[in-house]
Amino acid sequence: MLALGIDTSTSHGSVGLSDDRGPVSQIEMNSTSNHAERLLPAVQSLLAGAGFRFDQLDLIAVATGPGSFTGVRIGMATAKGLS
């Protein structure tokens, strides 16, 4: 099973991939731009760097906080759009 994890509840945020054996890769989004601008490019970079495509994802998990409501909303909306 290939899982994508999204955490946009903090100002930095991160995305990560995990499979049946454990963590595969992670990107921390340390940037001055907001989550809406950097989340999808980070996911694309994460998947490409690990040799996977969007259609290979089995699961998408999103952190729900505590943290920024707007950040959590961006993470949830992105996960819903990807699924």
Side-chain angles (χ1 to χ4, degrees), residues 27-57:
I27 293 177
E28 295 206 18
M29 299 180 292
N30 295 326
S31 171
T32 57
S33 61
N34 65 32
H35 293 308
E37 294 174 354
R38 57 189 163 146
L39 181 55
L40 278 177
V43 171
Q44 290 172 325
S45 178
L46 178 73
L47 289 168
F52 294 106
R53 301 179 318 271
F54 282 111
D55 62 351
Q56 291 177 288
L57 292 172

Side-chain angles (χ1 to χ4, degrees), residues 63-76:
T64 58
S68 162
F69 174 75
T70 300
V72 171
R73 190 177 58 182
I74 290 167
M76 292 286 192

